[in-house]
Amino acid sequence: MGRPEHCSGRVPCSRPALAPVLLQQLPYAAFERDALIRTAEVALGVGNRGHLFTWLQLHLHRFVPHELVICHLPQLPASEATTVFHSVPLPPRLLAQLEQSSPRWLVPLRRAWVGGRRQPCLIDLAAHAELREAPALAQLRQQGIDRLLVHGVDAQACLRSESLFVFCTRSRQDPAMTAGLALWMPYLHAAAMRALAGGARVPETSATPSSPLTARETQILQAVREARRTDEIAAQLDISPLTVKNHLRRIMVKLGARSRLHAVAEALSRQLIS
């Protein structure tokens, strides 16, 4: 298959206290930042399918425009693993094909995502024969949807359960508007796992997670979450700014994060900080 287009970007943490410093790093206009904070906060309270649909449509939609979201959680029973949330009417036959157990059409989509280094990718259905021939995807094209935004969590790449999300819209998807999806994934994945497991966490995450961070690293990341600068953290903990930076590098490695902001989002989603 051809190489998909890749998206990149940053995403917010979950509390207004982040606004003074960290939100300046985000690729959104100032007037959008309150909505962005609210989107992250509401995600932490998603507990059932209704909550998830509302969050997708009223909050995440502002940053990742879509009319249809397909959520695939392979660790759930096969009959419940694929769920479709849609804000436009869909033919019953198409909906049944999209939600069938172990849908074959997801295989090439996941292959393209993995081949794209597990980054959000825009996939053109018309450009791939394997995708054109899938009945469900052919029907999506008949509905005017010919590009899919795909991203997820790979159990082989981290200690979490697995997921794959497919965002569909009749409008042309702009990579600039979906650039934050990679850093939204901790919220989306955790919310979907809670909601689609009937409001309860699945066994992999039912217990309080053991933290990979040391006590000092947790202190530093909590301070970052409170929008404190490096020099302020150093003064608070009576250590040098260089030591703070070294701790932050180790934190980002442990959490698989690409920035301080990403590390805070990961830690919040794993309940490692508050």
Side-chain angles (χ1 to χ4, degrees):
M1 301 178 68
R3 290 186 62 82
E5 301 171 39
H6 298 292
C7 305
S8 60
R10 298 181 179 179
V11 77
C13 300
S14 64
R15 302 290 178 184
L18 288 169
V21 177
L22 296 182
L23 290 185
Q24 296 175 9
Q25 305 175 32
L26 299 172
Y28 301 112
F31 70 88
E32 292 182 304
R33 290 175 182 162
D34 286 344
L36 190 147
I37 293 171
R38 180 61 179 160
T39 298
E41 287 183 324
V42 172
L44 300 177
V46 169
N48 59 46
R49 290 172 185 251
H51 291 166
L52 181 57
F53 177 75
T54 300
W55 181 71
L56 289 169
Q57 292 301 314
L58 299 185
H59 297 281
L60 188 62
H61 183 276
R62 180 165 188 163
F63 305 102
V64 186
H66 62 272
E67 296 164 352
L68 172 68
V69 182
I70 303 164
C71 306
H72 184 66
L73 306 175
Q75 60 272 21
L76 296 183
S79 60
E80 303 172 11
T82 306
T83 304
V84 176
F85 295 95
H86 55 100
S87 58
V88 295
L90 292 179
R93 182 181 176 187
L94 172 58
L95 189 58
Q97 288 182 328
L98 292 175
E99 291 189 321
Q100 65 181 311
S101 300
S102 304
R104 293 182 179 179
W105 57 267
L106 273 177
V107 175
L109 290 181
R110 187 181 186 283
R111 188 183 305 125
W113 173 67
V114 171
R117 297 171 296 176
R118 299 178 175 86
Q119 295 298 308
C121 57
L122 284 169
I123 299 177
D124 187 346
L125 295 180
H128 303 286
E130 188 176 13
L131 297 177
R132 288 198 305 269
E133 294 169 0
L137 300 184
Q139 287 198 52
L140 276 182
R141 293 187 66 201
Q142 291 175 8
Q143 298 296 313
I145 296 170
D146 56 10
R147 299 183 94 202
L148 308 179
L149 175 62
V150 180
H151 194 29
V153 170
D154 190 343
Q156 296 179 358
C158 65
L159 298 179
R160 298 183 181 192
S161 46
E162 188 170 321
S163 62
L164 193 69
F165 299 89
V166 182
F167 289 82
C168 313
T169 179
R170 293 187 177 97
S171 304
R172 182 172 180 81
Q173 290 166 316
D174 183 355
M177 296 184 67
T178 59
L181 183 56
L183 300 186
W184 275 114
M185 191 48 58
Y187 293 98
L188 177 56
H189 175 81
M193 290 303 302
R194 291 194 304 271
L196 301 179
R201 294 180 183 274
V202 294
E204 291 90 339
T205 56
S206 59
T208 300
S210 59
S211 177
L213 306 179
T214 66
R216 176 65 86 190
E217 289 167 347
T218 302
Q219 279 184 308
I220 289 174
L221 195 57
Q222 185 69 43
V224 173
R225 179 246 182 281
E226 293 166 359
R228 295 180 184 171
R229 300 190 306 271
T230 298
D231 59 336
E232 293 174 331
I233 298 171
Q236 175 189 345
L237 301 179
D238 195 23
I239 57 179
S240 72
L242 180 59
T243 300
V244 173
K245 291 178 181 178
N246 288 336
H247 277 301
L248 286 169
R249 290 191 190 98
R250 286 193 288 269
I251 289 169
M252 287 189 283
V253 170
K254 288 181 178 181
L255 299 183
R258 292 178 294 280
S259 68
R260 295 183 181 195
L261 196 56
H262 189 188
V264 171
E266 278 288 337
L268 284 167
S269 72
R270 300 188 197 184
Q271 301 181 346
L272 303 180
I273 60 175
S274 59

